[in-house]
Structure formats: structure tokens, C-alpha cells
Amino acid sequence: MLTTVERLLFVRRVPIFKELRDDFIVRLASVMDELSFPANYTIFNEGDEGRSLYIIVSGKVKVHIGNQQLAIFPKGESFGEMAVFDAQPRSASATTLETCECLELTQEQLYEAIDETPEIAVNIIGILSRRIRELNDKMNAI
């Protein structure tokens, strides 16, 4: 478990929260739940309802459709954003590659954060756009 100070320092370095005010990051960090997952644990499956995004505090997570790996996310990266925004079922599964600690940000918490600080939405859009470009590059390479 992270101390309050460790949580604040960690959240401050997460790309979707870059350039946000410290007072806002303190409040946001305090409402997120910290979750622990063992290695090879499926956090969510393709088709599940998505109500949260996750931020990796330690470990690595593989995002995949069946046996097809789409991405591997290390410490400091987020995943699960798409379903939080479009209210559609999860488009892929997420499985831990090793023991992981994650922070969970619910849809309600995220929407409240965006109402107060719209820059979060811009940061998430930028991250999602980068990931789509990376997947396009992978597809073009095939």
C-alpha cells in the first residue's frame, strides 16, 4: 500500500494527470482505490461492462484479444479508458504479467475530475490517439 505522500508523488507523474494543479491531484489521488492483483490475473475480459480505468503502480499488464497481444503497459501507464468514455463493453481483456498494484479511477470520479479540470480529457485523448497510431503501425507492418 502507498502512503499518502507516495500516492501523491506517483499520481503527479502519470501522463493523464500531467500539468494539473497540485491541490487537484491531492484530491484525485485520495479518492482512487488501490488494488492488488496476482500474476496472470485477468482484471477484465473483452465484453465486460467498463466502469473504471486503471493506473499501474507496479508490475505490468497485457491488453489482448484472445491470444493476440495488443499492448503491454508498465508502471505509470493507464489502461481501460475507452469503456469509461463510450459506455460500450470492454474491447479487449487485461491480464497481469506479474504481481500488480493498480489505482482505480471510476467513471463517476473521472467525470467529476473532467468537470473541474478539462485538461484531463485532453491528456487522455492524446494518449488514446497515440495508442491508435501505434496499433495502426503494427497493422501496417503485418
Side-chain angles (χ1 to χ4, degrees), residues 4 7-9 11-12 17 20-33 103-106 109-120:
T4 303
R7 183 183 283 228
L8 170 63
L9 293 173
V11 170
R12 181 183 286 150
F17 304 125
L20 301 181
R21 295 185 331 265
D22 283 346
D23 62 322
F24 180 76
I25 291 175
V26 167
R27 280 183 288 140
L28 189 62
S30 69
V31 300
M32 288 189 272
D33 287 330
L103 294 174
E104 178 184 36
L105 185 62
T106 67
Q109 292 165 339
L110 179 61
Y111 283 11
E112 288 174 8
I114 289 170
D115 281 345
E116 185 173 334
T117 309
E119 292 86 355
I120 291 175

Side-chain angles (χ1 to χ4, degrees), residues 94-109:
T95 303
T96 60
L97 294 174
E98 55 197 51
T99 302
C100 286
E101 301 286 327
C102 294
L103 294 174
E104 178 184 36
L105 185 62
T106 67
Q107 184 179 47
E108 181 180 338
Q109 292 165 339

Side-chain angles (χ1 to χ4, degrees), residues 4 11 23 26 28 36-37 39 45 51 57 61 64 69 72-73 76 86 92 114-115 119 132 134 139 141:
T4 303
V11 170
D23 62 322
V26 167
L28 189 62
S36 297
F37 302 108
N45 284 300
R51 296 264 186 228
V57 176
V61 172
H64 56 97
Q69 176 181 300
I72 293 179
F73 296 116
D86 67 8
I114 289 170
D115 281 345
E119 292 86 355
I132 290 168
E134 290 170 358
M139 295 299 294

Side-chain angles (χ1 to χ4, degrees), residues 108-138:
E108 181 180 338
Q109 292 165 339
L110 179 61
Y111 283 11
E112 288 174 8
I114 289 170
D115 281 345
E116 185 173 334
T117 309
E119 292 86 355
I120 291 175
V122 173
N123 291 345
I124 292 173
I125 290 166
I127 288 167
L128 291 174
S129 295
R130 176 181 48 99
R131 290 180 185 167
I132 290 168
R133 288 180 192 281
E134 290 170 358
L135 284 172
N136 286 343
D137 290 343
K138 283 182 183 179

Side-chain angles (χ1 to χ4, degrees), residues 48-96:
D48 287 353
E49 181 178 6
R51 296 264 186 228
S52 300
L53 67 83
Y54 300 87
I55 301 159
I56 303 168
V57 176
S58 65
K60 291 182 183 174
V61 172
K62 172 177 73 169
V63 175
H64 56 97
I65 297 174
N67 292 329
Q68 179 66 44
Q69 176 181 300
L70 301 176
I72 293 179
F73 296 116
K75 173 182 178 177
E77 291 288 334
S78 58
F79 63 95
E81 303 91 346
M82 285 175 42
V84 172
F85 281 109
D86 67 8
Q88 296 294 313
R90 299 276 188 191
S91 63
S93 299
T95 303
T96 60

